[in-house]
Coordinates of all heavy atoms in Angstrom, one line a residue:
T1050 N 0.8 -1.3 0.0 CA 0.0 0.0 0.0 C 0.9 1.3 0.0 O 2.2 1.2 0.2 CB -0.9 0.1 1.2 OG1 -0.1 0.2 2.4 CG2 -1.7 -1.3 1.3
M1051 N 0.2 2.5 -0.1 CA 1.0 3.6 0.0 C 1.5 3.8 1.4 O 2.8 4.4 1.4 CB 0.1 4.9 -0.4 CG -0.4 4.9 -1.8 SD -1.6 6.2 -2.2 CE -0.6 7.7 -1.9
K1052 N 0.9 3.4 2.4 CA 1.5 3.5 3.7 C 2.7 2.7 3.8 O 3.7 3.1 4.4 CB 0.4 3.3 4.7 CG 0.7 3.6 6.2 CD 1.2 5.1 6.4 CE 0.1 6.0 6.3 NZ 0.4 7.3 6.5
D1053 N 2.6 1.5 3.3 CA 3.7 0.5 3.4 C 4.9 1.2 2.6 O 6.1 1.2 3.2 CB 3.5 -0.8 2.6 CG 2.4 -1.5 3.3 OD1 2.1 -1.4 4.6 OD2 1.8 -2.5 2.8
L1054 N 4.7 1.8 1.4 CA 5.8 2.4 0.6 C 6.3 3.7 1.5 O 7.6 3.8 1.5 CB 5.1 2.9 -0.6 CG 6.2 3.6 -1.6 CD1 7.3 2.7 -1.9 CD2 5.4 4.0 -2.8
E1055 N 5.5 4.4 2.0 CA 6.0 5.5 2.8 C 6.9 5.1 3.9 O 8.0 5.7 4.1 CB 4.8 6.3 3.4 CG 5.1 7.7 4.0 CD 4.1 8.4 4.3 OE1 3.0 8.3 3.8 OE2 4.1 9.3 5.4
Y1056 N 6.5 4.1 4.7 CA 7.3 3.6 5.8 C 8.6 3.0 5.3 O 9.8 3.3 5.8 CB 6.7 2.4 6.5 CG 5.7 2.9 7.6 CD1 4.5 2.1 7.8 CD2 5.7 4.1 8.2 CE1 3.5 2.7 8.6 CE2 4.7 4.6 9.0 CZ 3.6 3.8 9.3 OH 2.7 4.1 10.1
Y1057 N 8.5 2.4 4.1 CA 9.7 1.7 3.5 C 10.8 2.8 3.1 O 11.9 2.7 3.3 CB 9.4 0.7 2.3 CG 10.6 0.3 1.7 CD1 11.3 -0.7 2.1 CD2 10.9 0.8 0.4 CE1 12.4 -1.1 1.4 CE2 12.1 0.4 -0.3 CZ 12.8 -0.6 0.3 OH 13.9 -1.1 -0.4
L1058 N 10.3 3.9 2.3 CA 11.1 4.9 1.8 C 11.8 5.7 3.0 O 12.9 6.0 2.9 CB 10.4 5.8 1.0 CG 10.0 5.2 -0.4 CD1 9.1 6.2 -1.2 CD2 11.3 4.9 -1.3
S1059 N 11.0 5.9 4.1 CA 11.6 6.5 5.3 C 12.7 5.7 5.9 O 13.8 6.3 6.2 CB 10.5 6.7 6.4 OG 11.0 7.2 7.6
G1060 N 12.6 4.5 6.0 CA 13.7 3.6 6.5 C 14.9 3.6 5.6 O 16.0 3.6 6.0
L1061 N 14.6 3.4 4.3 CA 15.7 3.4 3.3 C 16.6 4.6 3.4 O 17.7 4.6 3.3 CB 15.1 3.1 1.8 CG 16.2 3.1 0.9 CD1 17.0 1.9 1.0 CD2 15.4 2.9 -0.5
A1062 N 15.8 5.7 3.4 CA 16.4 7.2 3.5 C 17.3 7.2 4.6 O 18.5 7.7 4.7 CB 15.4 8.3 3.4
K1063 N 16.9 6.7 5.8 CA 17.6 6.9 7.1 C 18.9 6.0 7.0 O 20.0 6.4 7.4 CB 16.8 6.5 8.2 CG 15.7 7.6 8.6 CD 14.8 7.0 9.7 CE 13.7 8.2 10.0 NZ 12.7 7.7 11.0
K1064 N 18.6 4.9 6.5 CA 19.7 3.8 6.4 C 20.8 4.2 5.5 O 22.1 4.2 5.7 CB 19.2 2.5 5.9 CG 20.2 1.4 5.8 CD 20.7 0.8 7.0 CE 21.5 -0.4 6.8 NZ 22.0 -0.9 8.3
E1065 N 20.5 4.8 4.3 CA 21.4 5.2 3.4 C 21.9 6.7 3.3 O 22.7 7.2 2.5 CB 20.9 4.9 1.9 CG 20.6 3.6 1.7 CD 21.8 2.7 1.6 OE1 22.8 3.0 0.9 OE2 21.9 1.6 2.3
G1066 N 21.3 7.5 4.4 CA 21.6 8.9 4.4 C 21.1 9.7 3.3 O 21.7 10.7 3.0
L1067 N 19.9 9.3 2.8 CA 19.3 10.1 1.7 C 18.5 11.2 2.2 O 17.7 10.9 3.1 CB 18.6 9.1 0.8 CG 18.0 9.6 -0.5 CD1 19.2 10.0 -1.5 CD2 17.2 8.5 -1.2
R1068 N 18.8 12.3 1.7 CA 18.0 13.5 2.3 C 16.7 13.7 1.6 O 16.6 13.5 0.3 CB 18.8 14.7 2.2 CG 20.1 14.9 3.1 CD 20.8 16.2 2.8 NE 21.3 16.3 1.5 CZ 21.8 17.5 1.1 NH1 21.8 18.5 1.7 NH2 22.2 17.6 -0.3
S1069 N 15.8 14.2 2.3 CA 14.4 14.5 1.9 C 14.5 16.0 1.4 O 15.0 16.7 2.1 CB 13.4 14.2 2.9 OG 12.2 15.0 2.7
P1070 N 13.8 16.3 0.2 CA 13.0 15.4 -0.7 C 13.9 14.8 -1.7 O 15.0 15.1 -2.0 CB 12.2 16.4 -1.3 CG 12.8 17.7 -1.4 CD 13.8 17.8 -0.1
F1071 N 13.2 13.6 -2.2 CA 13.9 12.9 -3.3 C 12.8 12.2 -4.2 O 11.8 11.9 -3.7 CB 14.8 11.8 -2.6 CG 14.4 10.9 -1.9 CD1 13.6 9.6 -2.4 CD2 14.4 10.9 -0.6 CE1 13.2 8.6 -1.5 CE2 13.8 10.0 0.4 CZ 13.3 8.7 -0.2
P1072 N 13.2 11.9 -5.4 CA 12.3 11.4 -6.4 C 12.5 9.9 -6.2 O 13.5 9.3 -5.9 CB 12.7 11.9 -7.7 CG 14.2 12.0 -7.6 CD 14.5 12.5 -6.1
F1073 N 11.4 9.1 -6.8 CA 11.5 7.7 -6.8 C 10.6 7.3 -8.1 O 9.7 8.0 -8.4 CB 11.2 7.0 -5.6 CG 9.8 7.2 -5.1 CD1 8.8 6.3 -5.6 CD2 9.4 8.3 -4.3 CE1 7.5 6.7 -5.1 CE2 8.2 8.5 -3.9 CZ 7.0 7.7 -4.3
R1074 N 10.9 6.1 -8.6 CA 10.0 5.5 -9.5 C 9.6 4.1 -9.1 O 10.5 3.3 -8.6 CB 10.7 5.6 -10.9 CG 10.9 6.9 -11.4 CD 11.8 6.8 -12.7 NE 11.3 5.9 -13.6 CZ 12.2 4.9 -14.2 NH1 13.4 4.9 -13.8 NH2 11.6 4.0 -15.0
L1075 N 8.4 3.6 -9.5 CA 8.2 2.3 -9.3 C 7.7 1.6 -10.8 O 7.1 2.3 -11.6 CB 6.9 2.0 -8.4 CG 7.1 2.6 -7.1 CD1 5.7 2.5 -6.4 CD2 8.1 1.8 -6.2
E1076 N 8.0 0.4 -11.0 CA 7.6 -0.3 -12.2 C 7.2 -1.6 -11.9 O 8.1 -2.4 -11.2 CB 8.7 -0.4 -13.3 CG 9.0 0.9 -13.9 CD 10.0 0.9 -15.1 OE1 10.3 -0.3 -15.5 OE2 10.5 1.8 -15.5
G1077 N 6.1 -2.2 -12.3 CA 5.6 -3.5 -11.9 C 4.1 -3.6 -12.0 O 3.3 -2.6 -12.3
K1078 N 3.6 -4.7 -11.7 CA 2.1 -4.8 -11.7 C 1.5 -4.4 -10.4 O 1.9 -4.6 -9.3 CB 1.9 -6.5 -11.9 CG 0.4 -6.8 -12.0 CD 0.3 -8.3 -12.3 CE -1.2 -8.7 -12.5 NZ -1.3 -10.2 -12.6
A1079 N 0.3 -3.8 -10.5 CA -0.5 -3.4 -9.5 C -1.8 -4.2 -9.6 O -2.5 -4.3 -10.6 CB -0.8 -1.9 -9.7
T1080 N -2.2 -4.7 -8.4 CA -3.4 -5.2 -8.2 C -4.6 -4.1 -8.4 O -5.5 -4.3 -9.1 CB -3.7 -5.9 -6.9 OG1 -2.6 -6.8 -6.6 CG2 -5.0 -6.5 -6.7
A1081 N -4.2 -3.1 -7.9 CA -5.2 -1.8 -8.2 C -4.4 -0.5 -7.9 O -3.8 -0.4 -6.8 CB -6.4 -1.9 -7.3
A1082 N -4.4 0.4 -8.9 CA -3.9 1.6 -8.7 C -5.0 2.7 -8.8 O -5.4 2.9 -10.0 CB -2.7 1.9 -9.5
E1083 N -5.5 3.3 -7.8 CA -6.6 4.2 -8.0 C -6.0 5.6 -8.3 O -5.1 6.0 -7.6 CB -7.5 4.2 -6.8 CG -8.3 2.9 -6.5 CD -9.0 2.9 -5.1 OE1 -9.4 4.0 -4.7 OE2 -9.2 1.8 -4.6
Y1084 N -6.7 6.3 -9.1 CA -6.1 7.7 -9.5 C -7.3 8.6 -9.9 O -8.5 8.2 -10.1 CB -5.1 7.5 -10.7 CG -5.8 7.3 -12.0 CD1 -6.2 8.3 -12.9 CD2 -6.0 5.9 -12.4 CE1 -6.7 8.1 -14.1 CE2 -6.5 5.6 -13.7 CZ -6.9 6.7 -14.5 OH -7.5 6.5 -15.7
H1085 N -7.0 9.9 -9.9 CA -8.0 10.9 -10.3 C -7.2 11.9 -11.2 O -6.0 12.0 -11.1 CB -8.6 11.6 -9.1 CG -7.8 12.7 -8.4 ND1 -7.1 12.4 -7.4 CD2 -7.5 14.0 -8.9 CE1 -6.4 13.4 -7.0 NE2 -6.6 14.5 -7.8
V1086 N -8.1 12.5 -12.1 CA -7.5 13.5 -13.0 C -8.4 14.7 -12.6 O -9.6 14.8 -12.8 CB -7.7 13.2 -14.4 CG1 -7.3 14.4 -15.3 CG2 -6.9 12.0 -14.8
I1087 N -7.8 15.7 -12.1 CA -8.6 16.8 -11.6 C -9.1 17.7 -12.7 O -8.6 17.7 -13.9 CB -7.5 17.8 -10.8 CG1 -8.4 18.5 -9.7 CG2 -6.7 18.7 -11.6 CD1 -7.4 19.2 -8.6
Q1088 N -10.2 18.5 -12.4 CA -10.9 19.3 -13.3 C -11.3 20.5 -12.6 O -11.7 20.3 -11.4 CB -11.8 18.6 -14.3 CG -13.0 18.1 -13.4 CD -13.9 17.4 -14.5 OE1 -14.1 17.7 -15.8 NE2 -14.8 16.4 -14.0
P1089 N -11.7 21.7 -13.2 CA -12.1 22.8 -12.6 C -13.5 22.7 -11.9 O -14.3 22.0 -12.4 CB -12.1 23.9 -13.6 CG -11.4 23.4 -14.7 CD -11.4 21.8 -14.6
L1090 N -13.6 23.3 -10.7 CA -14.9 23.4 -10.0 C -15.5 24.7 -10.2 O -14.7 25.8 -10.3 CB -14.8 23.0 -8.6 CG -14.6 21.5 -8.2 CD1 -14.3 21.5 -6.7 CD2 -15.7 20.8 -8.6
A1091 N -16.8 24.8 -10.2 CA -17.6 26.1 -10.2 C -17.4 26.9 -9.0 O -17.4 28.1 -9.1 CB -19.1 25.9 -10.5
V1092 N -17.2 26.3 -7.8 CA -17.0 27.0 -6.5 C -15.6 27.7 -6.5 O -14.8 27.1 -7.1 CB -17.3 26.2 -5.3 CG1 -18.8 25.7 -5.4 CG2 -16.4 25.0 -5.3
S1093 N -15.5 28.8 -5.8 CA -14.2 29.5 -5.6 C -13.3 28.7 -4.8 O -12.0 28.8 -4.9 CB -14.4 30.9 -5.3 OG -14.9 31.0 -4.0
K1094 N -13.7 28.0 -3.8 CA -12.8 27.4 -2.8 C -13.5 26.0 -2.6 O -14.6 25.8 -2.5 CB -12.9 28.1 -1.4 CG -12.1 29.4 -1.5 CD -12.0 30.0 -0.1 CE -11.4 31.4 -0.1 NZ -11.1 31.9 1.2
A1095 N -12.5 25.1 -2.4 CA -13.0 23.6 -2.3 C -11.8 22.9 -1.6 O -10.7 23.3 -1.8 CB -13.3 23.0 -3.6

């Protein structure tokens, strides 16, 4: 999950002395990757 990945990256950064922020990439099969594509709303604040 995303939370698993966040914990993992935190530990890896500490172990390797990698400073935040940093980029990463993932490649592989996902059972499910939920996403959204934003679009404008009529209201001024949301």
Side-chain angles (χ1 to χ4, degrees):
T1050 67
M1051 287 178 64
K1052 188 57 68 176
D1053 294 340
L1054 180 62
E1055 185 173 335
Y1056 284 147
Y1057 175 75
L1058 290 174
S1059 173
L1061 181 62
K1063 290 175 183 176
K1064 180 71 175 179
E1065 297 294 310
L1067 189 63
R1068 291 182 301 172
S1069 166
F1071 60 84
F1073 63 91
R1074 293 170 48 235
L1075 299 175
E1076 289 185 16
K1078 188 177 179 182
T1080 303
E1083 298 177 25
Y1084 71 91
H1085 74 265
V1086 177
I1087 205 163
Q1088 61 179 337
L1090 281 175
V1092 297
S1093 60
K1094 290 186 180 181

